Amino acid sequence: MGPSGRDDGPSVVVVSAHAADFVWRAGGAIARCAEDGAPVTVLCLTYGERGESAALWRSPDATLESVKAIRAEEATAAAQALGADIMFFDAGDYPLRATDDLVDGIVAQLRRLQPTVLLTHAERDPYNLDHALTHEIVLRCRMIAQAAGLPDRNTPPLGASQVMAFEPHQPEQCGFVPNRFLDISPVIESKRAAMKCMDAAQGHLIDYYEDLAVRRGVQAVRNGAPRTVTHAEAFQMVFPTVGSTLW
């Protein structure tokens, strides 16, 4: 049985504050895990309808519901391109709030899905406090989902799922120090396809994250990856890993 308590192989849950965060920051990891046969579920807390959809609000006909609908369509298409399932919580952004309903909903999904790994935002992001709050929410929900005494006795407690923070937009301002590089070279076309799905609202970020993947690929090679690695994503593990050897 793996560290999450599952006995049927690894699985991944990605908790994304807004509709596109999972694409830019972990799209390669999602596609790589899905290609390797691990089920991946994205829990999208908000559509990013207020704060991350400026291009959509330029339309004189834009409404909150129309913007939400476009972001939902984009995110669903992106998740499909990456091979992941997606769920929307519609918790409202700018600001996101950790309501009881949101926490209970995430806990229920963690108990149901029993992820081996949780991917989410870094602990700090002074540019976007929704991101930082999402990190806190994930750790809190992980803790609650591990409790044997929850009223829900139909799902088992969550095990020791690793939490890995994906790279924030400006890592040097967020205290982000990567200690895991993932080779996404085999799935870079899937990530590109997913990023293109976000073009209507945040197309200006596509080139940025394409370039970042190349830079992280160079750094992965410098840290021991084969020279065939051309693209990578960076992560920071929250909890220590456990093994029987030092390598």
Coordinates of all heavy atoms in Angstrom, one line a residue, residues 167 169 181 207-208 210-221 230-232:
E167 N 5.4 26.1 -9.2 CA 6.2 27.4 -9.2 C 5.3 28.6 -9.4 O 4.5 28.7 -10.3 CB 7.2 27.3 -10.4 CG 8.1 28.5 -10.4 CD 9.3 28.3 -11.3 OE1 9.4 27.2 -11.9 OE2 10.2 29.2 -11.3
H169 N 4.5 32.7 -10.2 CA 4.8 33.5 -11.3 C 6.2 34.2 -11.1 O 7.0 34.4 -12.0 CB 3.7 34.5 -11.6 CG 3.9 35.1 -13.0 ND1 3.7 34.5 -14.2 CD2 4.1 36.4 -13.3 CE1 3.9 35.3 -15.2 NE2 4.2 36.5 -14.7
F181 N 12.7 18.7 -9.9 CA 12.5 19.0 -11.3 C 11.8 17.8 -12.0 O 12.3 16.7 -11.8 CB 13.8 19.4 -12.0 CG 14.4 20.7 -11.5 CD1 15.5 20.7 -10.8 CD2 13.8 21.9 -11.9 CE1 16.1 21.9 -10.4 CE2 14.3 23.1 -11.5 CZ 15.5 23.1 -10.7
D207 N 3.7 32.5 -23.9 CA 5.1 32.6 -24.2 C 6.0 32.5 -22.9 O 7.0 31.9 -22.8 CB 5.4 33.8 -24.9 CG 4.9 33.8 -26.4 OD1 4.6 32.7 -26.9 OD2 4.9 34.8 -27.0
Y208 N 5.5 33.1 -21.8 CA 6.2 33.2 -20.6 C 6.4 31.7 -20.0 O 7.5 31.4 -19.6 CB 5.4 34.0 -19.5 CG 6.1 34.0 -18.2 CD1 7.0 35.1 -17.8 CD2 5.8 33.1 -17.2 CE1 7.6 35.1 -16.6 CE2 6.4 33.1 -15.9 CZ 7.3 34.1 -15.7 OH 7.9 34.2 -14.4
E210 N 6.1 28.9 -21.7 CA 6.9 28.1 -22.6 C 8.4 28.4 -22.4 O 9.2 27.4 -22.3 CB 6.6 28.5 -24.1 CG 7.5 27.9 -25.1 CD 7.2 26.5 -25.4 OE1 6.1 26.1 -25.3 OE2 8.2 25.7 -25.8
D211 N 8.8 29.6 -22.2 CA 10.2 30.0 -21.9 C 10.6 29.4 -20.6 O 11.8 28.9 -20.4 CB 10.4 31.5 -21.9 CG 10.2 32.1 -23.3 OD1 10.3 31.3 -24.3 OD2 10.1 33.3 -23.4
L212 N 9.7 29.5 -19.6 CA 10.1 28.9 -18.2 C 10.4 27.5 -18.3 O 11.3 27.0 -17.6 CB 9.0 29.2 -17.2 CG 9.2 28.7 -15.8 CD1 10.4 29.3 -15.2 CD2 7.9 29.0 -15.0
A213 N 9.6 26.7 -19.0 CA 9.8 25.3 -19.1 C 11.2 25.0 -19.8 O 11.8 24.0 -19.4 CB 8.7 24.6 -20.0
V214 N 11.6 25.8 -20.7 CA 12.9 25.6 -21.3 C 14.0 25.9 -20.3 O 15.0 25.1 -20.1 CB 13.1 26.5 -22.6 CG1 14.5 26.4 -23.1 CG2 12.1 26.1 -23.7
R215 N 13.9 27.0 -19.5 CA 14.9 27.3 -18.5 C 15.0 26.2 -17.5 O 16.1 25.8 -17.0 CB 14.6 28.6 -17.9 CG 14.7 29.8 -18.8 CD 14.8 31.1 -18.0 NE 13.7 31.4 -17.2 CZ 12.6 32.0 -17.6 NH1 12.4 32.3 -18.9 NH2 11.6 32.2 -16.7
R216 N 13.8 25.7 -17.0 CA 13.9 24.7 -16.0 C 14.4 23.4 -16.6 O 15.0 22.6 -15.9 CB 12.5 24.5 -15.4 CG 12.0 25.6 -14.5 CD 13.0 25.9 -13.4 NE 12.4 26.8 -12.4 CZ 13.1 27.3 -11.4 NH1 14.4 27.1 -11.3 NH2 12.5 28.1 -10.5
G217 N 14.2 23.2 -17.9 CA 14.8 22.0 -18.5 C 16.4 22.1 -18.5 O 17.1 21.1 -18.2
V218 N 16.9 23.3 -18.7 CA 18.4 23.5 -18.6 C 18.8 23.2 -17.2 O 19.9 22.5 -17.0 CB 18.7 24.9 -19.1 CG1 20.2 25.2 -18.8 CG2 18.4 25.1 -20.6
Q219 N 18.1 23.7 -16.2 CA 18.5 23.5 -14.8 C 18.4 22.0 -14.4 O 19.2 21.5 -13.6 CB 17.7 24.4 -13.9 CG 17.9 25.8 -14.2 CD 16.9 26.7 -13.6 OE1 15.9 26.3 -13.0 NE2 17.1 28.0 -13.7
A220 N 17.4 21.3 -15.0 CA 17.3 19.9 -14.7 C 18.5 19.1 -15.2 O 19.0 18.2 -14.5 CB 16.0 19.3 -15.3
V221 N 18.9 19.5 -16.4 CA 20.1 18.8 -16.9 C 21.3 19.1 -16.0 O 22.2 18.2 -15.7 CB 20.4 19.2 -18.4 CG1 21.7 18.7 -18.9 CG2 19.3 18.7 -19.3
T230 N 14.5 18.6 -22.5 CA 14.4 20.0 -23.1 C 13.5 20.9 -22.3 O 13.6 22.1 -22.4 CB 13.9 19.9 -24.5 OG1 12.7 19.2 -24.5 CG2 14.9 19.1 -25.4
H231 N 12.5 20.3 -21.6 CA 11.5 21.1 -20.8 C 11.3 20.4 -19.5 O 11.3 19.2 -19.4 CB 10.2 21.2 -21.6 CG 10.3 21.9 -22.9 ND1 10.8 21.3 -24.0 CD2 9.9 23.1 -23.3 CE1 10.8 22.1 -25.0 NE2 10.2 23.2 -24.6
A232 N 11.1 21.2 -18.5 CA 10.8 20.7 -17.1 C 10.0 21.7 -16.3 O 9.8 22.8 -16.7 CB 12.2 20.5 -16.4

